[in-house]
Amino acid sequence: MLHPEIEKRKTFAIISHPDAGKTTLTEKFLLFGGAINTAGAVKRNKANQSNTSDFMEIERQRGISVATSVMGFEYSGKRINILDTPGHKDFAEDTYRTLSAVDSVVLVVDCVKGVEEQTEKLMSVCRMRNTPVIIFINKMDREGKEAFDLLDEIEDKLNISLCPQSWPIGQGHTFKGVYSIYHNQLNLFHSDKTKVTDSVVKVNDLNDDALLDYLQEKEVSTLKDETELVNGVYGDLDVSLYKEGLLAPVFFGSAINNFGIKELLDTFIEIAPSPRHREAEERDVLVEEKNFSGFVFKIHANLDPKHRDRIAFLRICSGKFERNKFYYHTRQDKKMKFANPMDFMANEKSLVEEAWPGDVVGLYDSGNFKIGDTLTEGEKLQFKGIPSFSPAIFKEVENMDPMRTKQLEKGIEQLTDEGVAQLFVMQPGNRKVIGAVGELQFEVINFRLEHEYGAKCRFRTLTYSRSRWVTSDDKKKLDEFVKRKQQHIGTDKEGNPVYLSDNDFMIEMTKRDYPDIDFHTTSEHK
Ligand code: G4P
């Protein structure tokens, strides 16, 4: 039996392709959970998608994302921690890292657009860790794809089995609501954007005449046919398969209209996993272990450029975290204590005295932390599961102010420690190459270097568009490869060799020429 404090925690993220409704659903969860009173309280955590040069937007973003990094609230006796993920695709890597700190996810799919590019990428990251997924098909008030077609598309593109928990009646202008298959109840749709509403009609089954008070005969018969098919094709929900990340329960609703949320939240509370054990390089760490351990998955710069302190977000994995107790920073091999750790309840920050596995605490940091750092009570541990992914754009840093070389180096080092982008060092000349997912990251780096470090640089675009971490069982062969391909080799922050390439074809050719070398798409590989 888990300690009740651990058992009651549900730490998860809501993820989606931009615009599918992640922010709206997050807000509605807080609304239903009683953590906020009115809709509109959660600010849009989105950079302006169309204008990447809007620095004010970037700054505003940073302000919002500190406030909404973690949103904790109590619901039905559980402590729910929603970890926020950035909406903008250029910050995808931030999202991937946040996914390392959750125990499950709710994936939002827009019923009009179906599975989009970012949906697939996010899902593949969930796959890497077998993260349990619940799917919410949103915007049912709009004319979208047919429910069966959507399910086929999701199963096919996301490569996961589905199990619908409710079934829509009509769609768009004919949308009447959903029928909850396992509770035999009709949830009637009516548009209400501001408050929590509940119009549930309990029926015995689909032959109950009471249905005809709300639906037309034709609607009832279509519903009967379709749910019969659903039962036949998808069967009952096997919660253990869900927990292994192999089967996703599906709900239909409309987040903006508060519709389908309560049902989703109630099922989430019932089936979503409590904190689970975590793999460290050295061993598996169980949540119920007495000794505290945790890792940093996100670092946020302070908004005030005069103070270079930052907030490191620590996910607690085992034991109990206590304020003012000395903990062991395993990478730096030193003891540290935290006088002002922060807890996040809804949108309020407060001082935390103790925190449990599943919780995230914010630690003020003056440059001691880097993404992936582990804290323990003395044991040397390094948690796994926070890999770097191949960036898509590579640019070399050119110093524009030789008098400020030191500041530039420090700035680049610290910003890449924070995970703003990846740093590769290339020879000869210790050239610094920044790898990023999108242009916006370069803008952020430029802007912050100038404002926080007083350094100026220019970025020279390189032809590379992929990276592969290279290893080999034969050290000599690896050294030889690195030497031969020197102009394509960068060293990442951990000192590992990375092969930079223009395209997949080049990678394939190189693989063929060097059969003893293993090429990995992420920095973490078995
Ligand atoms: P994101 O975080 O995934 O990027 O999406 P977000 O919640 O910001 O929602 C994107 C747009 O979709 C918003 O409209 C939002 O109001 C709308 N939306 C969310 N849920 C539903 C729904 O159930 N039905 C319909 N019809 N629309 C929905 P917007 O115009 O971009 O922003 P706003 O002006 O409404 O704030």
Side-chain angles (χ1 to χ4, degrees), residues 359-374:
D359 285 343
V360 170
V361 291
L363 306 174
Y364 283 106
D365 169 43
S366 52
N368 282 307
F369 286 117
K370 182 159 127 156
I371 302 274
D373 278 350
T374 302

Side-chain angles (χ1 to χ4, degrees), residues 19 21-24 44 46 138-139 141-142 254-256:
D19 267 349
K22 175 183 78 72
T23 314
T24 313
R44 298 262 165 236
K46 291 203 274 198
N138 191 27
K139 306 197 186 180
D141 58 316
R142 296 184 54 190
S254 168
I256 194 90

Side-chain angles (χ1 to χ4, degrees), residues 134-244:
I134 296 181
I135 295 175
F136 182 70
I137 299 184
N138 191 27
K139 306 197 186 180
M140 289 301 290
D141 58 316
R142 296 184 54 190
E143 314 294 328
K145 303 188 182 186
E146 290 267 336
F148 280 113
D149 291 346
L150 267 171
L151 296 182
D152 282 351
E153 181 181 333
I154 295 172
E155 278 200 328
D156 195 39
K157 289 198 179 154
L158 302 185
N159 189 22
I160 188 164
S161 303
L162 302 180
C163 189
Q165 300 300 291
S166 62
W167 197 251
I169 304 157
Q171 193 174 16
H173 72 282
T174 62
F175 185 53
K176 285 284 182 68
V178 295
Y179 185 74
S180 178
I181 299 175
Y182 300 100
H183 298 114
N184 284 325
Q185 61 189 28
L186 189 64
N187 293 1
L188 291 169
F189 174 69
H190 52 89
S191 162
D192 191 334
K193 297 193 166 76
T194 53
K195 41 178 215 299
V196 176
T197 47
D198 231 1
S199 345
V200 174
V201 181
K202 233 13 226 147
V203 291
N204 294 325
D205 56 34
L206 284 170
N207 296 316
D208 196 326
D209 281 345
L211 282 170
L212 293 168
D213 295 342
Y214 305 94
L215 304 176
Q216 290 169 8
E217 223 163 281
K218 173 133 196 333
E219 287 168 331
V220 176
S221 82
T222 309
L223 180 62
K224 269 189 203 163
D225 291 348
E226 291 186 346
T227 48
E228 216 164 90
L229 198 57
V230 168
N231 276 326
V233 174
Y234 300 100
D236 286 347
L237 177 66
D238 182 334
V239 176
S240 61
L241 288 180
Y242 155 71
K243 287 195 172 163
E244 286 169 46

Side-chain angles (χ1 to χ4, degrees), residues 291-399:
N291 285 342
F292 155 79
S293 68
F295 67 91
V296 172
F297 64 94
K298 172 168 172 164
I299 294 177
H300 223 295
N302 198 316
L303 285 173
D304 183 352
K306 284 191 225 73
H307 302 281
R308 215 175 278 150
D309 58 340
R310 318 184 281 185
I311 300 169
F313 291 87
L314 179 88
R315 148 92 198 206
I316 294 158
C317 300
S318 68
K320 187 165 77 169
F321 173 90
E322 288 171 77
R323 185 166 89 93
N324 271 330
K325 194 168 165 181
F326 273 100
Y327 291 121
Y328 177 56
H329 186 313
T330 63
R331 181 178 56 87
Q332 294 212 343
D333 191 23
K334 71 176 183 190
K335 296 229 155 156
M336 297 177 77
K337 72 172 179 172
F338 305 93
N340 300 303
M342 280 183 298
D343 182 31
F344 306 84
M345 281 300 269
N347 279 348
E348 302 283 312
K349 287 199 298 254
S350 60
L351 202 65
V352 61
E353 293 297 336
E354 57 175 51
W356 294 86
D359 285 343
V360 170
V361 291
L363 306 174
Y364 283 106
D365 169 43
S366 52
N368 282 307
F369 286 117
K370 182 159 127 156
I371 302 274
D373 278 350
T374 302
L375 288 180
T376 68
E377 292 200 24
E379 187 180 353
K380 194 104 188 150
L381 284 180
Q382 175 64 48
F383 281 103
K384 291 208 273 196
I386 318 181
S388 300
F389 293 82
S390 169
I393 309 173
F394 295 81
K395 298 190 188 199
E396 186 176 334
V397 179
E398 289 180 349
N399 190 356

